[in-house]
Amino acid sequence: MTRRSITVPIVLLVIAAALIATTTQFTIMFNGPPPGPGPLPLARLAEALRTGIVPTTAQARMTVARTQEDKFGRENERPSPPRDAAIARLIGVPVERIHGLYQFPARDPEQDMHGSFTVALEDGNGWIVASSLFRPAFTRWHLARLLGMLGVLLVLSLLAWGVARRQ
């Protein structure tokens, strides 16, 4: 009885596994938008504060509310006076009337907004507060990617089991 080498099936299995995993991840990654919203133009934020209404182009990114309380913001947001000054210039108000908190204060205060933010404009009757919408950490995009990886794992496990049984 001759014994067959297991080297060739293992090498072929590794190549097949790499190709299947790479193809699946590539398909999942480019089959939908990545998680999270894109950057928000600073002008859209300024418009929302000036009018008290979220522009149509920014409705998926932020909300606007009026409040009498001067406490707002999220735990992970920090002040950025240069960003406040840039927003005040766009609105045409003194910088003292703008109070903003930002997850990612930009090096260039004129740059588009990334991450979460809470920016308030004091209007004499309280505050107009524009804030980013809450985004869950686990989205449909993440679920699709996870299910794809589990599917690949299942297929590769079945292939490996088949190769091991043949030897």
Side-chain angles (χ1 to χ4, degrees):
M1 181 162 133
T2 61
R3 186 165 176 166
R4 294 185 349 200
S5 171
I6 194 169
T7 305
V8 172
I10 287 177
V11 168
L12 292 175
L13 180 64
V14 168
I15 291 170
L19 285 172
I20 291 169
T22 302
T23 302
T24 302
Q25 289 305 315
F26 182 83
T27 303
I28 291 170
M29 189 171 12
F30 291 102
N31 194 23
L40 177 71
L42 206 57
R44 296 296 153 275
L45 175 63
E47 181 182 343
L49 289 171
R50 184 175 46 250
T51 64
I53 300 169
V54 178
T56 307
T57 56
Q59 288 179 348
R61 186 74 167 84
M62 72 174 151
T63 62
V64 173
R66 289 188 168 275
T67 183
Q68 297 298 319
E69 295 182 34
D70 63 352
K71 294 185 189 230
F72 30 77
R74 298 179 182 101
E75 186 176 310
N76 65 338
E77 296 173 344
R78 303 286 177 258
S80 175
R83 174 69 69 144
D84 291 351
I87 294 169
R89 278 192 301 278
L90 286 171
I91 298 173
V93 298
V95 70
E96 296 79 27
R97 291 182 50 198
I98 300 291
H99 298 279
L101 298 167
Y102 313 90
Q103 182 180 11
F104 303 119
R107 289 187 191 117
D108 175 6
E110 308 287 336
Q111 183 182 7
D112 293 345
M113 303 285 290
H114 292 270
S116 72
F117 60 86
T118 305
V119 183
L121 167 65
E122 188 176 19
D123 71 350
N125 297 324
W127 300 88
I128 299 172
V129 180
S131 59
S132 57
L133 293 173
F134 172 76
R135 297 284 179 200
F138 192 78
T139 64
R140 275 196 217 176
W141 189 84
H142 292 102
L143 179 62
R145 194 152 185 171
L146 178 62
L147 290 175
M149 289 189 298
L150 291 174
V152 168
L153 179 63
L154 177 64
V155 168
L156 295 178
S157 296
L158 291 173
L159 283 171
W161 183 77
V163 168
R165 298 285 295 164
R166 286 185 22 197
Q167 298 305 316

